[in-house]
Structure formats: structure tokens, C-alpha cells
Amino acid sequence: MFKAKQVISSFVLLLISSIADATIVIDTGDTNPGVSIGLIRPTSYVFDQDGIKDNGQSLAIQFILNKSLVIDSISSLFSVDTPGRIRFSLFDNLNSQPNNSLYNEILTINKAGWNGATNLNINLLANTYWAIFDFPPEIHSQFNGGLRFYYPADEIKTFVKSNYSTTYNDLGASMSAGLRVSGVISPIPEPKLMLMISTGLLFMFATSRKYII
């Protein structure tokens, strides 16, 4: 019976060690403060029967997670001339375009630097995702600024779309926005971990029966 307890204890420690502490999983570092693009305050409006529609740009940063994670923050590096509100959204990916909205939040950007969504608790599988910053018409933002860009870029891809376009266009290898993503390894087991858990449980059961008999 003592050996069975040792096996159980070792297995529990193995599971605990498979869950990492919170950490920054993507960090492009600071970008060029003199180069920014997109967003900007929507200074001209289109009026119709539905109200005001702005023509501000939408910027989408495509990133890849190699492991399943519980995301707790996503941010980008802003330049700011006039504080105001913008919308942050998180999308999954389909055919190199944003697909389903997983989360959105209105952010108030008061000063230049890293800004984004914090205190999140979003479980994401290993896959491709999009962090999108834009102006929904309903907030009538006075924000004037943009996202700071690398020049040249690193591995993070950045796309831009006007409100009159249906698709995001890749800015190419010459420009890319800064991005920080932090989180912890997901408590939902990945396939390999699930196999390890199943094997361990079967071994524990067999060992326990051996000592009971």
C-alpha cells in the first residue's frame, strides 16, 4: 500500500508541474516611436438613416499560440495625440482572416505606451488568433493616434482594413505592430497530457488492486 501511495503522490506532482506560472508568451518588445499607422481619429463621418458611421481604420495583429493557454492580457504599443476610446476584439482565424469574435471590450487610451485588455480569463487552444483595434460607430471616439510599428517587422503579421472594406490586407514584411500576450498553460489537458493522465490512472488502479488483494 505504501508503494501505491508513492505512485499516486508522484503522479499528482507530475500533473502540477505541467501547469506553468503566469508568463508573457508573446513579446515583440518596444517598437519605433516615430512610426505609427492606422486608427487615427475618424474626422469625417457618413450620415444616413442608421446614424453616424465613421471611416476609421481597423488594425488586426495576427499571432500564433503554440500551446493551449488561459490568456490574461493582450496589449499593443500606442502613439497618442488625443486620448479617447477604442474597441479591442479577439478573433479566431479562418483562411487568413478574422472569423468568430471571442471577446471584445471598449478601452480608454489616455497616453502613449502599452495599452490593452487586462484581467482576462480566456481559454485558447493552440492556434492562430487576431487582436483587433478599431472604432465601433456607437462610441463616437475622439481618439487621435495609432499603433506603433516595427520597420522592418518581426514575425508578427499586421493587417489593415477600412470600414468600407470587407477584408483585411496584409501590410507585408516591412511593417508590424507591437504585441504582448500573457497567460498560463491551460488546465484543459492537451491530447498528449490526456494520454499521460489516462495511462497514469490505469497504472494507479492496477497497483491499488495488487496491494488490496
Side-chain angles (χ1 to χ4, degrees):
M1 181 62 71
F2 178 71
K3 184 177 290 186
K5 289 183 178 179
Q6 282 184 318
V7 171
I8 293 172
S9 298
S10 299
F11 185 68
V12 170
L13 288 174
L14 181 61
L15 290 180
I16 293 174
S17 66
S18 69
I19 301 177
D21 294 332
T23 185
I24 295 177
V25 294
I26 296 176
D27 186 1
T28 59
D30 289 346
T31 54
N32 187 338
V35 179
S36 63
I37 193 172
L39 293 182
I40 311 302
R41 181 177 60 190
T43 55
S44 61
Y45 298 94
V46 174
F47 294 86
D48 60 18
Q49 66 273 16
D50 298 322
I52 299 176
K53 295 184 177 180
D54 68 68
N55 64 347
Q57 289 179 319
S58 176
L59 291 176
I61 307 171
Q62 185 189 82
F63 63 97
I64 298 173
L65 294 181
N66 296 317
K67 294 182 178 180
S68 296
L69 298 170
V70 177
I71 298 300
D72 57 25
S73 71
I74 300 178
S75 59
S76 190
L77 194 58
F78 282 77
S79 61
V80 177
D81 296 318
T82 303
R85 295 182 297 166
I86 66 167
R87 177 175 59 186
F88 162 76
S89 302
L90 177 66
F91 279 74
D92 62 12
N93 176 75
L94 179 65
N95 298 327
S96 298
Q97 289 290 310
N99 186 33
N100 297 310
S101 176
L102 306 177
Y103 178 84
N104 67 80
E105 175 183 345
I106 302 299
L107 306 174
T108 299
I109 309 298
N110 290 316
K111 60 182 181 179
W114 289 98
N115 293 280
T118 59
N119 299 317
L120 304 175
N121 186 28
I122 305 174
N123 204 316
L124 299 180
L125 299 176
N127 214 326
T128 299
Y129 296 94
W130 297 74
I132 299 179
F133 299 90
D134 63 4
F135 297 102
E138 63 270 16
I139 68 172
H140 308 303
S141 178
Q142 296 302 305
F143 178 82
N144 189 347
L147 296 186
R148 293 182 184 174
F149 275 70
Y150 284 93
Y151 193 79
D154 70 348
E155 72 278 5
I156 302 297
K157 290 185 177 180
T158 302
F159 296 69
V160 63
K161 177 180 79 68
S162 75
N163 284 356
Y164 304 116
S165 175
T166 58
T167 60
Y168 284 86
N169 297 310
D170 191 349
L171 289 176
S174 61
M175 301 187 76
S176 181
L179 183 70
R180 281 181 181 168
V181 178
S182 67
V184 297
I185 293 179
S186 174
I188 297 177
E190 296 183 4
K192 289 183 180 179
L193 181 57
M194 198 64 191
L195 177 61
M196 182 179 69
I197 292 173
S198 300
T199 303
L201 290 174
L202 288 173
F203 180 74
M204 288 164 54
F205 178 74
T207 304
S208 299
R209 285 182 56 85
K210 177 180 177 180
Y211 282 92
I212 290 173
I213 295 172

